[in-house]
Amino acid sequence: MSANSLPDTATAWHGLEIEKSLELLFSNADEGLTSQEVQQRLHEYGSNELQEGAIRNPWAILCEQFKNIMLLMLIAVAIISGVLDIVALQAGNNHGNIPFKDSIAILSIVLLNGILGYVQEFRAEKALAALIKLSPSNVRVIRNGKPMDVAGREIVPGDVMLVEAGVQIAADGRLLSETNLHVRESALTGEAEAVHKRADLQLPEETSLGDRINLVFRGTEVVQGRGKALVTHTGMQTELGKIATMLQSVKSEPTPLQQRMTQLGNVLVTISLMLVVCVVVGGIIHTGSGNQIRQLLEVSLSMAVAVVPEGLPAVITVTLALGTQRMVRRHALIRKLPAVETLGSVTTICSDKTGTLTQNKMVVQSLHINQKSFTVTGQGYQPRGEFRLHNDVIMLEEHPEISPVLIACVICNNAVLQQKEGEWTILGDPTEGALVTLAGKGGVEQDQWTSKLSRVLEFPFSSERKRMSVICRAEGVDTGLSPFRDVDPLLKGLVAPNGYVMFTKGSPELILALCSHIHTSESNDPLDNQQRTAILSENDRMASKGLRVLGFAYKSLTKILPEDSAEQQEQELVWLGLLGMLDAPRPEVKLAVKECREAGIRPIMITGDHQLTARTIATELGIAGKEQRVFTGKDLESMSNEELEENVDLVGIYARVSPEHKLRIVQALQRRGKFVAMTGDGVNDAPALKQADIGIAMGITGTDVSKEASDMVLLDDNFASIVAATREGRVVYTNIRRFVKYILGSNIGEVLTIAAAPILGLADVPLTPLQILWMNLVTDGLPALALAVEPPEPDIMRHPPFTPRESIFARGLGFYMVRIGIIFSITTIILMKWAYDHTYGTSIEGLSPERWKTMVFTALCIAQMGHAIAIRSNHRLTVEMNPFSNIFVLGAVVVTTILQLMLIYVQPLRSFFGTHILSTQELFICLGFSALVFVWIELEKLFFRFIGKKNF
Ligand code: ATP
C-alpha cells in the first residue's frame, strides 16, 4: 500500500462509513499505522503544523512604536532645534557649529528607539509563540498495534488518535468509536455549547461544519468522555488551518509595569511642556524683552530632552525577556508576560496535592477485603511482589476474595503498563498504573483479562464524579444450558447470565454509599451498618497513614442502559474492597514550603483526595500543623460565599473538593485582598485558573484546556518550581525598580542643573540635547542594563510579598528619585558655578573658555557611575559586596568611563559632541564632585541601618 494514493482533501468524510474511511486511508482501527508508513506520510504531507499567520503584522508593530508620546515630543524638539539652526544660519551667527546636528541626532535616536522597540517586541512575540509551542503537548495514538504518545506535529493522515476529556484535538478526524464524547468547538464555530459526538452515524454530504458530529476538528476541546478517531487532515489542511486568521494568536499584552511606564511618559511630557512654558515666559518677564528667546528656547529644548528617559523602555523589555528565560530554566514557562513581574506579589499559593506536592508515582501497599488487611511488597511499577497477611506471605488461591479486586483493577482502567529499556513505566494515569502493577503481582495480566472481558461502555472518571465504571461482556458466554462453560472460572460468580458485568472504582465513601451488598468468598451478603462503619474506619486508618485510598465494587448487569445513564447504573453495587497506595511527598517540597513561609507566602493544599490523606501529607511537608482546619467539599457546599470568606484565612487544607470549589476558594481569597497563584490540571480547572492572579497549569499531567487558560505552565509539575518562579518574579521586579530609580534620579539631576543655568545668570546652556541623549542612552543605559541582571539580595525571600498593583514609586522609590536628583543637581550646580567663575572668559593656552560646560557634562556622567555601583544593594554598603558578583556593572562602568573620556580627548568625537579639553586638575575636580553622590548614598544606607529601617 502506498500513501501516494491517499484521497484528496475534498473528500466528505462525514458522509462515509467507518470501514470505507479506514480503507481510503489504508489504516486499521486496532493496529493504526506502522512506523514506516508514518515516516512516508510525514515526508509526503509534512508535519502537522500551522503556519504562523497569527503573529501580528510586523508593520503594525513598527507603527505602534512611534505612537509613544515621549518619542513624539522628541520629534517636536528635533523640528524646533532644526528651525533654530536655520535661523542661526541665516543670521550668520552659527559659530562654526555643524548645522542640524542636534536635530539629526535626536531623530536618529527616535528612529533607533522605534526600531529597537520593534525588534524587541517582534522577537518577544516570536519567542513567546515558540515557548508556547514548546509547551509539552503530546497526542496519544495507536501505532504498530500499541498506544503511544507522540508529538502533535508528528501526526499524519491515517493515524488512529485517542482523545479524552481535557485534550485539545491535534488534527481533523473521522470518529471510529466514542464514549459519551462531548467536544467544545467554539474555536471553529464560535458555538460555546459542547457538541455530543457520535461515531456510528453517516451524514448527508451537505451537512454543515457545526453539525458534522461524526468528525472531530483540530483546535477543539474534549470536555467529556473519550473517543478514537482516524486522522483525515493535518496541518494547514485542517478546518482550523483553512481559517488561520481566526487562530487564537499569542498576545503579548503590555505588563502592568509597561502600562505604568506609558502613564509615566505622559506625566513626564506634561512636566517638560510646563517647564518649557515656565522657562520661556519667566525668561521674557525677567529680561523684559524677547531678545533672549533663542537661548531660552535652547534651555527648554535641553530640558525636554533631559526629562525623557530614552533608555528606559528598552531596558524594561530586556529585563522581562531575561526574566522569562531564567524562569524556563527553573521549569516555569511563562505564557503571559505580565506574570513575570506580578509573580513577585503572590501572597498565597493554592496547590493540588497529587503530582505537585507528591511524586505521582503510586505503589499499592495495602488491601482491605472481606475484613482482612493484606499488605503488598514491591517498588515502582514493576509487577513483582508478594501479598502478605499478618506478615506471612500468602497464596492467592487460598484467598479467592482478592481476585475480583485484581480483575477490577485491570478492567476498570485505561492505563497501559509497559517495559522500556528494562524499566517499567506506565502510559496514562499513575493511579491506574499502580493498579495494573498490583494485579500483575497477583498474576492477573492486563492483556489476558482485557480479551476475556470486552468493554462495552465506560462512565469515565472526572474530578467531580470521583469514580469510574466500565461495563464489559465476558467472552464465551452462550445462551445454551450452561452459558458459562467457556468462561474463566474466576468470572463465573461475577457476570450476569447474559455475560455483562460492571466494575466501579473511586473515592471509597462514595462507592460504599452506592453499595447495597458486600462480596465475601462464598456469596454476596447485604451490607449492614456495622460493616459500613468498619469499612469507613479502615478507610480512615489507611488515609491517616497518608495513603491514597480507592474503593472497588461490581454489579452483574441484566440490563444495559444508555451511555448517559451513569447515575442509574451505578446503584445497588456489590462492595469488593479497599486498597491504599503510597504517593510519597516530593523531597524538595518541604524546603520550598519553608522558603514560602519565610517569604510571607501562604501555601494551601486543595485536593480531591481524602481529608486524612491530605492532612498527613500536608503535615509532613509543613503546609499545615496537626491543628490546621480542614474544609471538605461538603463543608464548602453547606457554606455561603460570605462564610467561606470569613474562614478562608484560617483553612490550610481543602479536601475532597471539585473544580468548581476551587473557583469559590480563589474568589474568597481575592476578596480578602490576597494575590493568588493557583494550580490546576483538569479541564474543569480552567475557570479557577483564569480567575487566579497567576493561573498555573501542569506541563506533564495537565490537560491542553488547563494550559490554554493558564499564565504559566510548570514543566515539571513541581511545587518547588512555583516557589522558584516566585523568587525570580521578585528578582525581576526589584531590579526593575532599581534601574528606574537609577535612571529617573539622574534625569531629575540633569533637568535641575539645566534650569539653574539661566537662574544663576550663566551665559549659555551647560548641556546640549546631543550630550543629554548621550547621557540618557549610553552613560545611563549601559549601567542600567547591567543592573537588570543584578543577582538577588540574600534576603529576597525573607520579606513579605510586594503589594500587588502598588505604584512603581511606592515604598520610597519616588522620594528616593527626587532626593537623589536634588543631590545630583546640588553637587553639579556648585561645580557649574565654580567652573563658570574660574574658566569662563579666562583664556589659558590651548583650553577653551567654554570648558565649564564639559566639566558639568563629565561630572554628571561620572556621578552616575558611582550611583550604579552604590545602588546595587538597598542596604548593603558597597564594601560589603563582592564587586565581581555582577561583572556587568563593573564592565559597564569601565566602558562608559572610557567612552566619556574619549568624548573629551579624541578630536572627531570632541567636535561632534561639542565638548572641550579639560586640564588634569579640572578632570580631577569633576571626579571629586561626582564621588559625592556615591558617598551620599552610602551614608544614607548607614543612616537607615542605624535607625533600623530596611528598604526593599
Ligand atoms: P489533586 O487534586 O491534589 O491532584 P487528586 O488527584 O486526589 O488530588 P482527583 O484526581 O480529583 O484528585 O481524585 C479525587 C479522588 O477520586 C481520589 O481521591 C480517588 O479516590 C478518586 N480517583 C482518582 N483517580 C481515579 C481514577 N482513575 N478512577 C477512579 N477514581 C479515581
Side-chain angles (χ1 to χ4, degrees), residues 81-151:
S81 170
V83 172
L84 284 182
D85 277 0
I86 294 173
V87 175
L89 270 177
Q90 281 173 353
N93 56 355
N94 187 38
H95 306 301
N97 279 338
I98 307 169
F100 308 121
K101 190 172 59 184
D102 287 340
S103 308
I104 292 170
I106 296 171
L107 287 178
S108 320
I109 296 304
V110 169
L111 207 67
L112 198 75
N113 233 306
I115 292 174
L116 207 76
Y118 162 80
V119 173
Q120 292 289 0
E121 205 167 310
F122 189 64
R123 277 184 47 187
E125 290 219 354
K126 280 205 112 165
L128 216 57
L131 279 179
I132 290 171
K133 263 199 207 151
L134 193 145
S135 167
S137 189
N138 280 344
V139 182
R140 189 156 299 168
V141 289
I142 298 180
R143 283 184 186 168
N144 308 314
K146 288 204 182 84
M148 59 172 78
D149 285 347
V150 298

Side-chain angles (χ1 to χ4, degrees), residues 353-354 429 432 461 463 505-507 548 550 607-609 656:
K353 172 180 72 71
T354 311
D429 178 2
E432 298 195 339
F461 168 77
S463 292
K505 73 175 193 307
S507 147
R548 180 174 172 82
L550 283 184
T607 177
D609 220 335
R656 285 283 186 244

Side-chain angles (χ1 to χ4, degrees), residues 508-509 512 531-541 578 610:
E509 314 90 281
L512 190 63
Q531 282 166 319
R532 284 182 195 274
T533 318
I535 293 170
L536 287 177
S537 65
E538 182 58 26
N539 177 27
D540 287 355
R541 193 186 66 80
L578 277 178
H610 192 279

Side-chain angles (χ1 to χ4, degrees), residues 839-853:
T839 61
Y840 190 63
T842 58
S843 55
I844 299 175
E845 183 62 45
L847 294 179
S848 155
E850 298 276 328
R851 64 191 186 284
W852 63 275
K853 296 186 207 165

Side-chain angles (χ1 to χ4, degrees), residues 160-175:
V160 175
M161 162 167 88
L162 301 172
V163 298
E164 59 180 356
V167 156
Q168 193 175 50
I169 295 173
D172 289 1
R174 167 72 165 96
L175 276 173

